[in-house]
Amino acid sequence: MYSSLSTRLSSLRYAASVFTLLLAGCVSGPDHAPPEMPLPAKFEEGGSKSNGDVVTVEWWTAYRDKQLDGLVAQGLNENLDVLQALEKINAASANVTVASAGGQPSLSVDASHTVSGEKGRLRTTVGTTNTTGGGASLSWLLDFFGQYRRSKESAIGSLGAAYATADNAKLTFLKDLVSSYVDARYYQERIALSQANLKSRQQTYELTQLQLKAGAASRLDVVQAEGLVQSTKADIPGLEQSFTESAHHIATLLGMPAASLTDELHKSAGQPVFRGSIRAGILADLIRNRPDIRKAERELAAAVADIGAAESQLYPSISLSGSISPSWVKSSGASGASLTSWFFGPTLNLPIFDGGKLRANVDIEKSDARTQYLAWKAAVLNGVEEVENALSAVRRDTQTLEPLRRQVQTAQESLVLSTTSYKDGASSLLDVLDAQRSVSDAQASLAATVQQVAKDYVDLYVAVGAGYLPPQGQVVSERTAKSASWPERFALSP
């Protein structure tokens, strides 16, 4: 009996394998091809040299700030948005298994044992029967038209999109963290400048009071000097609040309570200055390196595969199924008896009339694929715009630094001269107060431009898709798959 079943199952597997080989090329729907669009050879203000693979470039180290380096390393492992995106990879990977399972044979077994009988009036058991049974069921939907193969391709495309989403979360984190750190240092610099200016204006105010007592200054001079002191004092709390908010945001990015880093960030000072080179590369680098573009391409691949899965529903489906159910019955006072039932055969499902539902499903998937292609084009153009803007900002904002430094020097020199002249009685207090305002304004403009240039470099390197993967040799097992190029990792079988 069992030998016969084994023979039939072997025949079933052989027949299904032959059918699968014969019809392996009958896969519904179009095959995905990497999308293309016409693009210039280089950026308007960029060079013609390729960047290559910049996803492992630790560009933030060019600020030469060890504290910043430590915050980035910590945040890449602890940022909650990044961790959520990584977790979604697990679900997408499981979906690949689910999609693959539909085209595989399904085998289930069961077993049972029951005891039955009747009780007489004297509590004696009469006619006890023991029944032991079992069964094995096998089913296999022959994927002649590629329904499950296309579903698997779609799931693989979604898995690729999940990897790209995680990479994009890291890139977003880098931009947010480094920009917030630059902001925090900017506010520290403004606080230090305001405190220094406050000290200078306080001295001027005290000098004016002495000259008032000596009859060399008027009450108006004293009031004007005091007003400038109070104005400077009023600026400091707002700057301190802005620094605190930046520190709190950095802590949140690291997955820590808001006030955890405030004291630590107070220990260091000095605005970050980027001391690296401009590496914009060419537009072909952008398409390869930016995770949001790669995500859009993988979503397009999934949508194209869904077209084939929908089209396969238009054609007949054949499934092979069989089962065997042996049982053994033993009654008290009688010899046991066995009984085996079995069946095997194909089932044909042919869609004839469905009111246009299946055709409409194909149209829906085609429309979705066209939408995803447009989304890919939009992602490419958006990336190009971001790089072009960042290149322009870096070059032009950098050009303003030296004039602003010179402006600070001349304003400080003017303040020294006007103060000396005022002490000698050759000029009015108004000249001194104007010179102090000029110094304060020039210093604030210089600090703001240093801040902006530092953030311009952040925008540039994030725009080209740099730095979201660890360098080679430091890649842990979970990230190893992401170190390969996406066409190799997520290539779809024809």
Side-chain angles (χ1 to χ4, degrees), residues 33 90 100 115 122 125 127 164 192 208 343 355 361 377 461:
N90 296 330
S100 303
V115 179
L122 299 178
T125 301
T208 306
F343 77 88
N361 286 337
K377 290 184 66 175
Y461 277 86

Side-chain angles (χ1 to χ4, degrees), residues 82 84-94 96 155-171 289-292 294-296 298-299 468-469 475-486 489-490:
V82 172
Q84 290 179 64
L86 290 174
E87 189 59 38
K88 290 181 180 179
I89 294 176
N90 296 330
S93 180
V96 174
I156 291 175
S158 297
L159 176 60
Y163 273 108
T165 299
D167 293 339
N168 197 52
K170 295 176 185 178
L171 203 58
N289 293 325
R290 276 188 62 126
D292 59 333
R294 193 168 69 251
K295 174 177 178 290
R298 290 290 81 204
E299 290 176 340
Y468 56 82
L469 291 184
V475 183
V476 298
S477 59
E478 187 237 352
R479 297 172 182 156
T480 300
K482 294 194 280 297
S483 66
S485 62
W486 61 263
R489 285 164 44 208
F490 303 115

